[in-house]
Structures are given as C-alpha cells and as structure tokens.
Amino acid sequence: MSEPGPFAQALGQLAFAYTQIRPLVPTYSHLVVSALFPIYAGAHASLSRPSSAAKPIKRRKSIGTQDESEHEDEDDEDEDQIQRMEGLSPSDALMFPVLAGCTLAGLYFLIKWLKDPEVLNNILNWYFAAYGVLSVAKLIADALAWANRMIFPNEYIDHGALWRVKSRDRRVTAVARRKISIETRKSPLPGSLCQALPLPERVVDFLWTWREISKQKWTAQCYIQHIMSAKTHIGIHGGIGAFVALAASMYYNLVDKPWWLTNLFGFGFCYGAIQLMSPTTFATGALMLSALFFYDVYFVFYT
Amino acid sequence: MITVAKSLDIPIKLLFPRPSPPDMAPEEAKRLHAMLGLGDIVLPGIMIGLALRFDLFMHYLSKQKVLPPTDDGKGNTITKAPYHSMSGKQGDVFWTHSFLTGRSLLPAAQSPSTSSDDAQQSYSFAKPYFNASIAGYIAGLLTTLAFMHIYEHGQPALLYLVPGVLGSLFLTGMIRGELKQMWNFTEAEEEEEEQERKADFENDDGSQKSDDNDDMNVKAGKPKKKVLVSFSVSKRDRPHNKKTRQALANDAGDGLRRSPWLKTADGEPPHKMRRVS
C-alpha cells in the first residue's frame, strides 16, 4: 500500500487534534455560553428610548388615554425603568487602567505581605456581599419576569385565530376571526398543546391567581438629601429574587463557595454593570478598551 | 493578576469545572477550574451594549421624517417617531410571530393604516452592529481558548477580545458606510433633559395618588419641602385597581377590546375590515 497523501495526512492530524480537545469541549462551550449570557441579557435590558425617537407625552390623566386594562401594565413598566447610566468620559477611560493597575499591584503586595490572605478575603467578601445581593436579586427578578411574560402572554395565535386572555373573567377568547367565535378556553397557558393538558381545577385557579399577583407592584422609595435618591417598583418577582439572593449570599460567605454560586454572583455583577455603565461614545469606549489592551498584556506577561 | 485571582475567593471571576483525573482530591480539582475574569466580560460587554443601543438609535433615525422648510422661514422640521418599548411585550411577540422567520402571524384581515403601522413594526429592529460585535467577541474568546490550550498558560483574554470587538464594529461601520454616525453618536443627556428628569422624579410622588390634572398649576407653585432622609414603601395605586376600571370598559365603545395590532383607521371592528390582498 502506498503512503497516504498529504491531504489525508492533514485530515489525520485534524482528527487527532479533535480527539485531544474533545474532553474539554464541554468546558469551553460552557465558558463561551456563560460569557455571552450576561452580555446578551444586560445589553437588551439596557435598551431605552434613544435620542432619535420622540419624547413620550406626559400622561398624568390616565383615564381617557389608556387602551385597556391588560395593556396598561406594559406602559407602566416603561415609566420607571429609566435608569441613569453612568457615562464614561475620555479622561475616565484613560484613568481606568491606571487605577486598575494600582489596585491590582496593591492587592498583590498585600497578599504577599500578609502571607495568609484570610483577613483580606473576609473584608472583601463582606464588601462584595452587599453588591452581590442587590445585583443577583435584580437578575433573578428580571429572569422571573421574563419567564412570566413568556408563559402568560396577553395574546397568542393558535389555529389561525388570535386568542386574547382576559384576566378578570379568567377566560381566553378568540377574536379577529372571520366569524366572531364564542369559543372560550379556561387555562391561561398559551398554545393548543397546553390546552390539551388535563390540569385540575385548583391548578388552573392557581395559575390565574399567580398571573394577577405578578402584576401587582409595591413602590419603595429612598431619599437622602445630597447623597442619593432611589425609587423602585418591587413585585413578587423582586421579593423572590431578594430572598434567593440573600440565601445565596449567606451560604456563599458562611458555608461553602461552590463554583456555580461564584458564577451566579459573577452573572449578577456583570448584568448590573452592563446596565449601569456606558462608554457614552464609541471613541471613548475604543480608547478605554485599547488602554486596557496594553495594560493587560503588560501585567500578564511582564509581572 | 493570576496570583491575585487565585488567592482571593471573592466572585471576581467565573469558574468552569474541568474534567480531572479520577484520583485527584476535590480541592485539587478546584484549582484546575478554567477561569474567566469578570473584567473580560464587563468591559467588552459595555461596548456591545453601546452597539445595541446604537442599532436602536439608527432604527429610529431611519424612521424620522424631515419636512421641507415652511413659508415662515422655520427651516427643516424633523418629526420623530414615537418610541415603542419592547420591555413588556416579549411574550406576546413570541406567541404571535413565526418562530423561524419572525413573520407576524396575525390574521391577514387588517387594513394598513399609516400611523399604526409603526406600532406593528417597531417591536423588532435590525441589529447589525450588535451581531457583529457578538461575533467578534466569540472569535476573540475562541482564540483565547485556543492559545490557552496550546501553550497551557493563562492568557490575557482582553488581548484577543479587544481587537475582536473593536475590529468587528469598525469593519461593520466601514462596510455600511456609517462611520460618521458612529463617530457622532453620543448617549450624553443634554442639560435641559437632565433638569426635566430631575423635576419629574421629585414631582412623581404626587402623580401616583392624584388623578386630577387641574392641580398641576397649584403643585408647581408650591415650594418643595426639604426632605433630608426618607424611606417609604407603598402599594402602587393604579387606576385599573379602582372602580374606574368599569368606567374604562364602558368607554371602549362597542365593547370590542382594542389591541395595538388591531388598530384600524376609524376604529371599526376587525371583521368589517378590508382584506389586504
């Protein structure tokens, strides 16, 4: 038999490299997905009215202008999600790597000097715990709200008809068909697959109640003169988020630090940071990233 | 940097378990975990967020209408399209549009009216810069992983991510010929908008409780009381929780509920609409 040609040999090398990498593919794909998730979620959550769109007309009198009860909730969500984003200026962008470098160098020397970084760990832990709880609570609340919107939509299309959910009557009716149908459905879940599920009466009632509860919100307002003013609307999702975040934080600091909990806090921080910080312009952002590019190379390879 | 990241246990990094040899103790295996610093996610992330907001900006920019100058010498007037937020409507959009093509599945019996077309189409927008920057980010990450695998040494992820993200954004801008808009785009709020926003925040406490528009003038004249510190929690009182709900239902005319997608030119019930052929 003749020797395999160069193409076959190249394929052979490729196959060999593939078998070597294969055990690590789950780790690497996990890494890529975990990096993309907070970026995707945070970027979409940071969307708000751009300067090229018209300013909303102030609606103080809400009786005549609201469309109908089921759609009012979305408009209300709009009003209070206008968060202030911290914009970075070019001077901030340039100071970033300098500050980061000094912090890192300071921490490095502190760790070397203390020999046992236990104390440092503790202090930093409690500091991060406070921010961690807030950002993880927001992440979980937003995730629950999204799931709620997907599972309990206000309208859906099935069998060529538009079905509208009426939460007051706890019925789903078909509208916009050629002949107006008197057909109604009992379950608030969308799609014919979910309709076919034989859910007991109590479960269906619970689903309707949950749907209503999710729309109720409490207003929490905090105002300290010259320091801060904050106002948020919290519903049941926020409550669940806060509870889970507190529990996670206590477990993390007092019991053990499993990798998935570290990742949860990491997601929370990233999700919050991407919504709060903005490079203001492409030029500032590019400046900041380039400065950090050189700083990163220097710090990893020369120290 | 790696020393600091490994010695401190705070969540400044993401950890990913690696397949480890079976005879290794769990603590040892932990140190084998693959790491990705949070800075490598947040810093390109804010750039990618900016790209997405820029896409939204360009979308609404394309919907602006510029009217020719009027006779009294006002110059060009620009009409901006109203903003429709996607924030509450993802579920509805998901269940009324085709999963594969994104085509609206709403019944074809809708007459196209000029202004409510905007309401229908604004729920999605083209995201060229966002997609490009995500692709650049993924390319940078894969390069990092490749080098990390080959050299078996921690790599500075930003070294590969920055050219990936910035390069893809710049390339997309160059190909689409929108570099000038990219350069001029800014998210900085103007002075007057900031004043308005601050005034809105302080006035907003009253708007939840009073429905009466006539009180506006009185409110503006009242001196604002100086509050030093205050915390408050209250139930949100929205009109449709009160008896006005019944009034709303009666006001809807022929009792037919109206949805943004079903708006017709003169409010006729859907089954009377002209069919679009």
Side-chain angles (χ1 to χ4, degrees):
Chain A
M1 248 191 9
S2 57
E3 283 282 314
F7 182 61
Q9 279 192 337
L11 276 184
Q13 295 272 21
L14 213 61
F16 182 61
Y18 172 68
T19 49
Q20 284 210 305
I21 289 188
R22 223 176 71 161
L24 287 169
V25 166
T27 309
Y28 291 156
S29 39
H30 183 197
L31 195 148
V32 174
V33 172
S34 296
L36 287 176
F37 164 67
I39 294 181
Y40 188 89
H44 280 82
S46 73
L47 285 177
S48 64
R49 185 184 70 82
S51 53
S52 54
K55 274 194 219 161
I57 315 157
K58 274 282 151 216
R59 290 194 272 179
R60 301 253 173 202
K61 223 176 171 72
S62 34
I63 291 185
T65 49
Q66 299 282 18
D67 263 353
E68 67 152 26
S69 44
E70 267 105 43
H71 293 287
E72 279 167 354
D73 307 311
E74 287 81 357
D75 286 347
D76 284 331
E77 272 179 47
D78 235 355
E79 281 172 20
D80 41 65
Q81 296 315 338
I82 308 177
Q83 272 175 343
R84 181 90 170 112
M85 291 189 85
E86 295 302 318
L88 298 171
S89 64
S91 55
D92 291 338
L94 283 174
M95 280 303 286
F96 224 81
V98 176
L99 279 177
C102 294
T103 317
L104 212 58
L107 279 174
Y108 180 75
F109 287 121
L110 205 59
I111 289 174
K112 285 287 177 208
W113 176 62
L114 281 177
K115 286 177 188 58
D116 179 21
E118 205 48 51
V119 175
L120 187 62
N121 253 326
N122 265 332
I123 298 174
L124 287 170
N125 267 332
W126 286 108
Y127 177 74
F128 273 82
Y131 281 106
V133 167
L134 283 174
S135 44
V136 171
K138 185 164 203 300
L139 176 69
I140 295 181
D142 286 354
L144 284 177
W146 177 83
N148 208 63
R149 285 193 288 266
M150 297 303 263
I151 300 177
F152 296 125
N154 289 322
E155 316 182 309
Y156 61 90
I157 301 252
D158 194 29
H159 297 315
L162 178 69
W163 295 85
R164 183 143 323 116
V165 177
K166 296 191 204 306
S167 52
R168 262 179 289 148
D169 309 327
R170 295 201 170 188
R171 281 278 182 278
V172 181
T173 51
V175 294
R177 258 190 158 152
R178 217 63 58 72
K179 43 186 196 313
I180 296 285
S181 165
I182 51 169
E183 212 183 316
T184 62
R185 289 175 169 178
K186 280 195 262 177
S187 163
L189 299 172
S192 42
L193 194 65
C194 294
Q195 291 300 325
L197 287 177
L199 294 173
E201 188 77 27
R202 288 190 59 193
V203 176
V204 174
D205 274 342
F206 172 72
L207 287 175
W208 283 110
T209 315
W210 183 258
R211 197 167 182 274
E212 279 166 35
I213 290 180
S214 307
K215 297 213 168 106
Q216 290 170 3
K217 297 255 163 73
W218 290 72
T219 312
Q221 187 170 347
C222 169
Y223 177 78
I224 306 177
Q225 198 180 41
H226 298 317
I227 299 181
M228 62 171 282
S229 53
K231 187 163 105 159
T232 50
H233 297 292
I234 306 181
I236 189 143
H237 297 135
I240 297 178
F243 179 72
V244 173
L246 263 174
S249 190
M250 312 217 70
Y251 185 83
Y252 190 78
N253 285 314
L254 300 172
V255 181
D256 187 27
K257 295 180 207 283
W259 62 268
W260 43 273
L261 213 49
T262 311
N263 283 7
L264 179 68
F265 282 104
F267 288 152
F269 284 129
C270 291
Y271 181 72
I274 293 179
Q275 290 179 68
L276 283 176
M277 291 206 299
S278 161
T280 317
T281 60
F282 279 104
T284 315
L287 194 65
M288 186 183 67
L289 280 184
S290 319
L292 285 163
F293 170 80
F294 291 113
Y295 147 89
D296 219 21
V297 172
Y298 171 73
F299 256 97
V300 173
F301 288 131
Y302 287 101
T303 60
Chain B
M1 188 190 274
I2 299 186
T3 321
V4 172
K6 284 202 168 133
S7 352
L8 296 179
D9 247 342
I10 42 178
I12 50 169
K13 55 198 183 291
L14 297 184
L15 293 172
F16 305 99
R18 250 188 171 142
S20 58
D23 50 348
M24 214 180 249
E27 284 80 34
E28 292 261 330
K30 248 194 222 180
R31 268 188 268 126
L32 267 193
H33 284 345
M35 277 185 341
L36 184 66
L38 286 189
D40 298 329
I41 301 178
V42 171
L43 293 163
I46 59 180
M47 201 63 187
I48 297 177
L50 186 69
L52 184 64
R53 291 189 292 272
F54 181 65
D55 280 328
L56 187 65
F57 172 83
M58 293 298 285
H59 173 79
Y60 277 97
L61 197 69
S62 67
K63 289 164 71 172
Q64 275 181 3
K65 298 188 187 100
V66 181
L67 300 170
T70 56
D71 284 337
D72 41 356
K74 267 200 196 154
N76 282 345
T77 46
I78 300 177
T79 322
K80 294 184 179 174
Y83 174 63
H84 297 279
S85 162
M86 255 287 270
S87 62
K89 304 194 175 63
Q90 288 128 353
D92 294 340
V93 171
F94 177 72
W95 287 104
T96 54
H97 289 68
S98 156
F99 190 62
L100 290 172
T101 59
R103 183 180 57 92
S104 168
L105 291 173
L106 293 164
Q110 294 176 47
S111 70
S113 57
T114 48
S115 60
S116 55
D117 265 359
D118 289 317
Q120 289 178 32
Q121 290 157 13
S122 298
Y123 293 111
S124 70
F125 57 100
K127 303 170 190 171
Y129 289 93
F130 177 71
N131 293 331
S133 54
I134 289 273
Y137 187 80
I138 293 178
L141 261 189
L142 291 177
T143 316
T144 315
L145 290 173
F147 277 89
M148 195 173 74
H149 187 77
I150 296 175
Y151 292 113
E152 292 187 11
H153 181 275
Q155 300 288 318
L158 274 183
L159 175 65
Y160 310 100
L161 293 173
V162 168
V165 172
L166 288 184
S168 58
L169 282 175
F170 184 72
L171 211 65
T172 314
M174 209 164 66
I175 292 176
R176 290 171 69 95
E178 288 171 348
L179 281 177
K180 192 150 166 280
Q181 281 98 318
M182 272 177 78
W183 185 259
N184 289 332
F185 174 64
T186 173
E187 291 191 312
E189 245 179 17
E190 288 168 10
E191 211 25 67
E192 46 171 68
E193 281 190 27
E194 188 167 332
Q195 303 282 359
E196 271 182 38
R197 200 181 40 81
K198 284 204 177 125
D200 281 344
F201 180 78
E202 278 156 21
N203 283 337
D204 231 355
D205 315 329
S207 70
Q208 299 283 4
K209 294 177 221 145
S210 73
D211 286 336
D212 205 348
N213 224 0
D214 298 337
D215 268 349
M216 281 275 285
N217 291 333
V218 180
K219 257 198 275 190
K222 245 200 306 197
K224 291 197 191 61
K225 53 182 172 45
K226 288 236 167 188
V227 180
L228 286 172
V229 178
S230 77
F231 300 91
S232 67
V233 179
S234 56
K235 184 109 200 266
R236 245 185 129 195
D237 226 2
R238 296 195 294 190
H240 65 268
N241 283 341
K242 297 189 243 173
K243 289 209 184 104
T244 53
R245 226 179 188 182
Q246 203 50 47
L248 268 174
N250 291 337
D251 268 352
D254 51 358
L256 199 69
R257 304 298 174 132
R258 287 195 274 142
S259 144
W261 285 298
L262 288 185
K263 273 207 181 91
T264 65
D266 32 24
E268 284 182 346
H271 66 270
K272 283 197 198 142
M273 286 185 274
R274 257 185 311 113
R275 196 151 42 124
V276 179
S277 48

